[in-house]
Amino acid sequence: MTDSPTLSMPFNPAGIELDRRQGLSRQLYQALRLRVLDGRLASGTRLPASRDLAAALGISRNSVVRAYDQLYAEGFIEGRVGDGTYVAQLMPATAPAEKLSTKVSTGFSTGLPTALSTNWLDLPVIPSSKVIHSGTFSRIEKNHLPRPPSGPPRAFRVGVPAFDLFPFEVWAKLNAAFWRKPDLEQLCYGDPSGDARLRAMIAAYLRSSRGMQCSPEQIVITSGAQQGISLCAQLLVEPGDGVAIENPGYRAAGHAFAVAGGRLHGIAVDGEGMDCSALSATGNCRVAYVTPSHQYPTGVVMSLARRLELLAWAERCQGWIVEDDYDGEYRYTGAPLAPLAALDRQGRVLYVGTFGKVAFPALRLGYLVLPPALVDAFSQRRAVDVRHSEVSTQAVMAEFMAAGHFQRHIRRMRRAALSRRNTLLDGWPTAIAGVSDLPAVSAGLHLTVAVDSIEREQQLIEQAARADVEINGLSSYWLPDSTTPLAQRAGLVLGFAAVPEPAINAALARLRQAWQL
């Protein structure tokens, strides 16, 4: 009696299951490769002839040949003249078997390539700082960004503009025009500082809208404001340097400076902005991060006296001011305020701007306006990370601005944000237990209302979430080591620009029911 092909082979292919609706050669290659990696096919094992394996699996010989060819190309198998095909020697033959099996099961031994672990899904989940011994990893564990809220914008999401009003048709036409006949020079590696035309348009815009006397050469394009802040942290801060940040404030900025090794000093914010006397009292800060046009999250506008005091601090201490003008376009009484950078005469202010609050966050397009002496260093540092920015978005934004669409869109966005703000102010439920009256809102895309305790804050937020209304707690914006009494840290932070007026009214109705008003 003749043995079947399966029984006469050096290894049993019975466990190989192939889906005939998909590529057979690719599946066979993957199955054999896995068996080599996890040790089921040991080095030196003789593989069946392609014709025999094809017969055993009920597939064409060509499929087997293609799978073998790929395994040959990647070094998993080798041919011996006149003797057949064998699994290649992948590990030192002298390695003790028991130690070898341990290495394969963990995949973390220095003597074994990680690729030879049995299955990534089976490996234990080990914290990054336990695997890679670096101070940076330990700092990241303590200073990382939470995942952004999922799903489409809803009331009252913070940090989201009315991008439902963005002229996507205009943008699409400009984008199509760029790609129909792109400038070949733009498709090469470009200037890490960004597209020259876009930088010129930004400089012109800032001169007319902010009174900033800056040149295109002072501008470095970034992938959003956060990258601009991170670049400031990387280049201005040495490990151990003191960094002053507003408290409460934009925690993502604090994380960037902390990951760079800075020691964060939370500086109190009052009705005029950052308390500069408290800043001076710290005595060891090298950098101050501020949001003077519309403090995040309290909404306070920094007074002129405080602005001048802050500039004097930077000059006196040879420090740096990182000014984040994240929503400066949204001023509802009069023109946008002149930023600190427009008042700076000593080259101590680094201005962070973004298109995310006038277009949409996913655009990932921002910029830095730098003192001339810092431009080369920032451009070179950015080139190490990304070489240069994505080209078409910059080119399209430059044309969008040059054709006048940008200014028209800003005016439209400002009107929409004002209308949505008014809808929230007019419809906000009154006499909510433990909640103060809404403040006046003269700028920005959000407001903050005080609550009398953290417990009450959390209760209101949880009830709102069950009613599909998104509200941030002011308590989450404070540094963990803050000395301010807990009761003074509580509040509700409400973004009012993310959704149209009918959605705001509907959300307010749900809140009244959820809060049983």
Side-chain angles (χ1 to χ4, degrees):
M1 181 176 178
T2 304
D3 289 338
S4 68
T6 298
L7 296 176
S8 63
M9 290 181 185
F11 81 100
N12 189 348
I16 299 178
E17 297 181 2
L18 304 178
D19 184 349
R20 298 182 181 276
R21 297 168 297 179
Q22 303 180 33
L24 296 174
S25 61
R26 184 69 181 176
Q27 292 180 73
L28 179 58
Y29 150 77
Q30 291 173 336
L32 294 175
R33 177 179 178 274
L34 179 61
R35 281 160 172 75
V36 173
L37 291 176
D38 65 18
R40 283 179 285 171
L41 280 176
S43 298
T45 300
R46 188 176 189 278
L47 297 180
S50 57
R51 192 183 307 277
D52 294 336
L53 184 55
L57 297 176
I59 61 177
S60 72
R61 183 189 177 199
N62 285 341
S63 295
V64 178
V65 170
R66 285 194 291 270
Y68 276 10
D69 286 346
Q70 187 64 32
L71 293 167
Y72 272 120
E74 295 182 8
F76 286 97
I77 62 177
E78 59 188 9
R80 300 178 185 176
V81 178
D83 192 25
T85 302
Y86 291 80
V87 176
Q89 187 74 34
L90 299 181
M91 293 176 289
T94 57
E98 64 276 6
K99 291 186 179 179
L100 191 61
S101 63
T102 301
K103 293 177 184 178
V104 172
S105 66
T106 63
F108 288 110
S109 167
T110 56
L112 175 65
T114 306
L116 297 182
S117 60
T118 56
N119 189 332
W120 283 109
L121 296 178
D122 296 332
L123 292 176
V125 178
I126 301 176
S128 299
S129 60
K130 302 296 183 183
V131 179
I132 300 179
H133 303 289
S134 164
T136 301
F137 273 90
S138 64
R139 291 194 294 269
I140 287 174
E141 285 187 326
K142 299 175 183 177
N143 299 277
H144 60 273
L145 300 181
R147 291 184 180 274
S150 60
R154 56 179 179 167
F156 295 98
R157 183 169 296 177
V158 176
V160 178
F163 62 75
D164 55 302
L165 302 180
F166 188 77
F168 291 104
E169 291 184 2
V170 172
W171 187 267
K173 289 178 181 178
L174 296 176
N175 189 61
F178 172 83
W179 286 113
R180 272 197 298 270
K181 194 175 181 181
D183 183 340
L184 297 184
E185 182 179 349
Q186 289 180 299
L187 302 186
C188 296
Y189 289 105
D191 186 340
S193 293
D195 179 80
R197 188 181 183 213
L198 177 57
R199 292 159 67 198
M201 297 305 304
I202 292 172
Y205 166 68
L206 292 175
R207 284 194 296 270
S208 64
S209 69
R210 298 289 200 281
M212 291 175 58
Q213 299 306 309
C214 60
S215 68
E217 291 73 27
Q218 291 177 253
I219 295 173
V220 172
I221 303 299
T222 63
S223 298
Q226 187 64 30
Q227 186 187 51
I229 296 168
S230 293
L231 284 172
C232 293
Q234 293 161 18
L235 286 170
L236 302 181
V237 176
E238 291 284 350
D241 283 348
V243 178
I245 63 171
E246 298 163 323
N247 195 32
Y250 180 45
R251 293 296 304 279
H255 293 330
F257 288 109
V259 167
R263 291 185 297 108
L264 302 184
H265 294 269
I267 307 298
V269 175
D270 60 21
E272 294 188 69
M274 176 183 274
D275 183 350
C276 293
S277 61
L279 168 61
S280 297
T282 61
N284 63 348
C285 285
R286 177 181 176 84
V287 176
Y289 168 85
V290 291
T291 53
S293 295
H294 184 238
Q295 200 277 331
Y296 189 84
T298 67
V300 170
V301 177
M302 182 178 282
S303 68
L304 177 59
R306 286 284 175 86
R307 293 172 188 241
L308 296 176
E309 190 177 353
L310 185 57
L311 289 168
W313 166 85
E315 181 180 355
R316 183 173 63 252
C317 301
Q318 293 298 289
W320 301 103
I321 301 170
V322 178
E323 177 182 17
D324 186 355
D325 194 19
Y326 66 99
D327 64 358
E329 284 82 8
Y330 297 94
R331 180 78 180 169
Y332 306 121
T333 55
L337 300 178
L340 281 167
L343 303 172
D344 180 23
R345 296 294 178 266
Q346 302 298 322
R348 312 308 302 181
V349 177
L350 297 83
Y351 179 91
V352 181
T354 179
F355 290 98
K357 295 296 186 287
V358 293
F360 46 91
L363 190 66
R364 305 316 306 145
L365 191 61
Y367 54 90
L368 287 166
V369 183
L370 302 165
L374 299 183
V375 173
D376 285 347
F378 273 74
S379 180
Q380 291 165 4
R381 178 62 186 86
R382 185 167 186 269
V384 172
D385 286 341
V386 297
R387 186 61 181 89
H388 68 107
S389 300
E390 188 273 332
V391 172
S392 65
T393 301
Q394 294 184 80
V396 172
M397 180 56 77
E399 182 61 28
F400 189 76
M401 298 177 77
H405 301 299
F406 184 68
Q407 289 282 28
R408 286 192 293 273
H409 180 59
I410 285 178
R411 290 193 292 270
R412 185 184 186 193
M413 292 286 278
R414 191 179 294 129
R415 289 193 299 269
L418 176 60
S419 176
R420 295 177 183 190
R421 181 207 70 171
N422 291 342
T423 301
L424 173 59
L425 295 179
D426 293 342
W428 181 253
T430 58
I432 309 171
V435 178
S436 300
D437 294 334
L438 291 185
V441 183
S442 62
L445 298 172
H446 73 271
L447 60 84
T448 296
V449 56
V451 178
D452 63 6
S453 70
I454 299 292
E455 293 76 17
R456 182 58 173 155
E457 173 201 271
Q458 294 302 308
Q459 180 187 40
L460 292 169
I461 291 172
E462 291 169 5
Q463 290 171 342
R466 289 195 290 270
D468 196 32
V469 178
E470 190 174 308
I471 297 176
N472 285 6
L474 179 62
S475 59
S476 66
Y477 292 86
W478 293 79
L479 290 175
D481 59 355
S482 299
T483 57
T484 302
L486 284 175
Q488 296 178 27
R489 302 187 211 172
L492 305 178
V493 185
L494 307 164
F496 50 75
V499 295
E501 292 83 347
I504 292 175
N505 283 322
L508 290 171
R510 295 197 301 275
L511 278 184
R512 292 189 192 94
Q513 184 174 5
W515 292 343
Q516 298 179 350
L517 299 174

